[in-house]
């Protein structure tokens, strides 16, 4: 009898241990994720291109500026203290059908999902500490909802516009609606030093949209870089007074550009225009990185 009780107890303990192991196993043995680097790294993801013979007319009054095709990209900044994803592509990953490439949506064409490019580095959206959008336009927000578990760094006027009754991006709400309940850091145009050491700083550059923002990244070897979102779309636009026809507030954009140009001079940062195909073709893209 005693022996029988002992066996039952042993069986119960063993079962509990097996269950505990099964429950704990995924977190006790997480999927290999890169160790935090010693200095800041910048990864560039390829989210496709826009190819449209009418692109000039789309962005500017006809023949104001001759412009080339443009690229869509996004960035992962990996800091010793955490990660920051900047922008989220033009085609939702869910639109990619297995084995079918390229995938198209409206005027966009892409060959890789965002999450497959992240996974190749060992990251999943749950590993992303902070998420930021340069602005709410469709070519930047496609995979926003994947980052709803991160802390959203957003300018107040941008967030207000995104969730307004008469939002200009109401039809795209299903792509970013989950951000509404994200833990959020709401900014009001002042510089925000993300990790507290001056290496990654969000700067308001309003005008293209109500709360457009850019990111300054200070890299140990490559030097400082300004990820400028759509402050400009093309290098041909820089040093002109031309803004796209659909600009939220043209004069405000020109003031933001003047402000950022002064900052570039002072900091010595390189300007990276997000849609600049020529620049993109010369960059190290993920899995390679700059540091
Ligand atoms: Zn854009």
């Amino acid at each position: 009898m005693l022996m029988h009780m002992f066996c039952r107890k042993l069986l119960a303990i063993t079962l509990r241990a097996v269950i505990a192991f099964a429950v704990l196993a995924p977190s006790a043995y997480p999927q290999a994720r890169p160790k935090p680097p010693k200095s800041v790294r910048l990864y560039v993801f390829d989210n496709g291109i826009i190819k449209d013979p009418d692109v000039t007319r789309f962005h500017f009054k006809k023949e104001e500026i001759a412009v080339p095709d443009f690229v869509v990209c996004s960035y992962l900044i990996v800091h010793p203290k955490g990660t920051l994803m900047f922008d989220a592509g033009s085609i939702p990953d869910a639109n990619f059908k297995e084995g079918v490439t390229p995938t198209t949506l409206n005027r966009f064409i892409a060959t890789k999902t965002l999450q497959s490019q992240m996974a190749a580095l060992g990251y999943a959206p749950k590993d992303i500490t902070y998420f930021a959008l340069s602005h709410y336009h469709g070519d930047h927000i496609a995979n926003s909802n994947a980052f709803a578990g991160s802390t959203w760094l957003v300018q107040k006027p941008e967030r207000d516009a995104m969730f307004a009754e008469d939002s200009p991006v109401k039809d795209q709400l299903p792509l970013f609606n989950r951000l509404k309940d994200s833990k959020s850091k709401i900014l009001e145009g002042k510089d925000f030093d993300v990790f507290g050491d001056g290496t990654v700083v969000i700067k308001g550059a309003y005008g293209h949209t109500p709360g457009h923002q850019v990111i300054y990244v200070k890299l140990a070897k490559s030097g400082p870089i300004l990820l400028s979102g759509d402050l400009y779309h093309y290098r041909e636009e820089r040093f002109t007074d031309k803004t796209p026809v659909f600009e939220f507030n043209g004069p405000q954009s020109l003031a933001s550009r003047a402000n950022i140009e002064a900052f570039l001079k002072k900091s010595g940062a390189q300007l990276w225009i997000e849609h600049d195909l020529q620049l993109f073709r010369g960059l190290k893209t993920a899995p390679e990185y700059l540091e």
Side-chain angles (χ1 to χ4, degrees):
M1 186 67 183
L2 252 177
M3 192 60 191
H4 181 65
M5 270 176 71
F6 176 74
C7 284
R8 269 174 53 183
K9 202 162 181 183
L10 191 68
L11 183 68
I13 290 167
T14 312
L15 267 175
R16 269 209 300 273
V18 167
I19 290 164
F21 181 78
V23 170
L24 282 175
S27 56
Y29 299 95
Q31 201 190 339
R33 174 181 153 195
K35 280 192 193 129
K38 292 220 161 58
S39 64
V40 181
R41 289 181 182 180
L42 174 62
Y43 293 92
V44 182
F45 296 128
D46 175 356
N47 301 123
I49 55 168
I50 179 173
K51 229 172 158 38
D52 186 343
D54 242 6
V55 76
T56 307
R57 204 183 57 191
F58 174 69
H59 275 103
F60 297 94
K61 289 188 201 91
K62 217 171 183 181
E63 286 156 18
E64 268 189 340
I65 293 178
V67 293
D69 294 334
F70 78 44
V71 69
V72 178
C73 62
S74 54
Y75 310 93
L76 174 64
I77 300 164
V78 182
H79 183 280
K81 286 194 205 155
T83 51
L84 164 59
M85 183 71 207
F86 188 43
D87 280 345
S90 57
I91 304 180
D93 283 1
N95 285 31
F96 285 75
K97 289 185 186 72
E98 215 173 316
V100 179
T101 187
T103 294
T104 60
L105 179 67
N106 304 322
R107 294 163 296 121
F108 303 105
I109 310 168
T111 54
K112 303 171 201 173
T113 61
L114 176 58
Q115 287 194 43
S116 68
Q117 295 178 75
M118 292 175 67
L121 311 174
Y123 294 103
K126 68 174 172 47
D127 303 317
I128 303 306
T129 323
Y130 297 103
F131 176 61
L133 292 166
S134 58
H135 64 298
Y136 58 52
H137 285 158
D139 50 326
H140 299 258
I141 59 162
N143 292 288
S144 294
N145 273 347
F147 302 97
S150 310
T151 296
W152 187 28
L153 306 176
V154 61
Q155 303 287 334
K156 186 172 188 302
E158 193 78 359
R159 189 184 188 283
D160 289 349
M162 287 167 81
F163 296 112
E165 260 311 300
D166 57 348
S167 164
V169 278
K170 209 168 188 175
D171 57 332
Q172 303 197 49
L173 192 64
L175 300 178
F176 62 78
N177 61 324
R178 291 187 57 215
L179 295 179
K180 197 170 185 184
D181 300 320
S182 289
K183 188 177 166 196
S184 301
K185 173 78 187 168
I186 297 173
L187 308 171
E188 297 194 50
K190 284 203 190 105
D191 286 4
F192 178 65
D193 184 350
V194 181
F195 298 100
D197 61 359
T199 57
V200 182
V201 179
I202 296 205
K203 301 177 80 65
Y206 298 2
H208 184 56
T209 56
H212 180 275
Q213 59 186 2
V214 302
I215 302 188
Y216 168 79
V217 188
K218 196 173 171 188
L219 299 173
K221 288 186 188 159
S222 304
I225 293 169
L226 189 89
L227 307 175
S228 65
D230 285 7
L231 185 68
Y232 303 101
H233 290 75
Y234 312 100
R235 56 180 72 184
E236 288 78 359
E237 196 180 344
R238 203 174 168 193
F239 309 119
T240 72
D241 60 355
K242 309 284 183 246
T243 56
V245 290
F246 51 88
E247 206 76 343
F248 168 70
N249 183 332
Q252 194 181 28
S253 293
L254 295 179
S256 291
R257 287 177 180 181
N259 200 20
I260 294 296
E261 291 292 346
F263 173 73
L264 292 172
K265 253 188 193 158
K266 199 177 83 184
S267 64
Q270 303 173 46
L271 174 75
W272 280 17
I273 296 173
E274 193 162 322
H275 292 307
D276 185 345
L277 187 59
Q278 201 184 328
L279 169 79
F280 180 82
R281 284 185 175 145
L283 293 179
K284 278 185 183 172
T285 52
E288 288 191 89
Y289 58 87
L290 272 74
E291 61 183 335

